[in-house]
Amino acid sequence: MQSFFIASGGRPRENGRVNWNNLSNSLHDDSSRRVEAQGVCAVVRNRFCRQAFSWWKKLSRTEKVTLPAALLVFLAALIAYVMSFSEWTTAEGRELSAELPWRGHALTISSVSGSWRPSAGNARISLRAAYYPEVKLSLSSGDGELLVRFRNGQGAFVGDPVTLRAKAGRFLPSSDRNVDVDGATATVSCEMGFARETDYRHHALQLSEPLWSVAVWERRSDDSLPEEPLGRASIQP
C-alpha cells in the first residue's frame, strides 16, 4: 500500500486518508509547549516581583522618597536633552539677521537692535514678565506706516501688534504705551516675555534654542500688508 506525507510534520496518511490520531497528537504537543513556555515566563516574572518587593521593604523611609525623586530628575534631564536636538523649535536656526537697510516701497529702516530688559520698576509689565524684549528701529527716509510683531523661539506671535507712523523720515508721536518715539528712532517693547528670571537665564544658555525675534511689515497704500515682512531680526539675550 502506497504511503503519502502531508506538509505539517510529515505525518503519514494511508490510502489517501489523513491519520487524525497522529495529527491530533502533534497539535496537542504544540499546545503543551506553548503552555510550558508561558508557565516559565510567569515563574520568572513572579520571582522578579518578589525580589523587587523584598528589596523595596529593606529601604529606609528616606531612601524610598529620594530614589523616586532622583529618577524623576534623571528622566526630566533626559527629556530636555533629547528635545534640544529635536525639531520642536523653528527651522530657521538660532539667529536671524536680515541684511540692512530694510527697504520698502516708501520707508527705509537703517538699523534694528533688540535686547532684553528686566521689568523691575515697570509696574505694568512686571505683572506679566520678569524679562521682556524690546527693539529699536531707526528710519533713514520715507513716509508711511510700519507694523511690528514679536515672535518667541517657536515662531509664534506674542504680545500685541504695534503700528508706527512716519513722515519725512521721522516717526510720529504714538499713544501706544509700548512705544517710545525720539525723532527717527522708535523703541518698541513687548509686554510678554519670561515669567521668571531663571527662565530667561535658561534661554540665554541654551545655544540650541532659536532666539526670540522681531518682524516688521510696511503697510501698503491700500491699508493691506504684504505676506513677507521687510525683515526679521533676532533678539540677543
Side-chain angles (χ1 to χ4, degrees), residues 135-164:
V135 62
K136 289 187 177 182
L137 306 173
S138 295
L139 289 177
S140 59
S141 62
D143 301 348
E145 291 186 7
L146 297 174
L147 179 70
V148 181
R149 296 298 309 267
F150 290 89
R151 292 179 185 264
N152 61 20
Q154 289 75 50
F157 288 119
V158 291
D160 297 327
V162 172
T163 297
L164 299 174

Side-chain angles (χ1 to χ4, degrees), residues 90-111:
T90 53
E92 290 92 342
R94 179 167 170 82
E95 295 187 22
L96 302 168
S97 182
E99 185 177 354
L100 291 166
W102 296 350
R103 300 184 187 277
H105 295 290
L107 292 169
T108 300
I109 300 175
S110 59
S111 68

Side-chain angles (χ1 to χ4, degrees), residues 213-226:
S213 62
V214 62
V216 181
W217 287 262
E218 181 186 33
R219 196 177 297 276
R220 296 192 181 107
S221 57
D222 61 357
D223 207 35
S224 65
L225 290 173

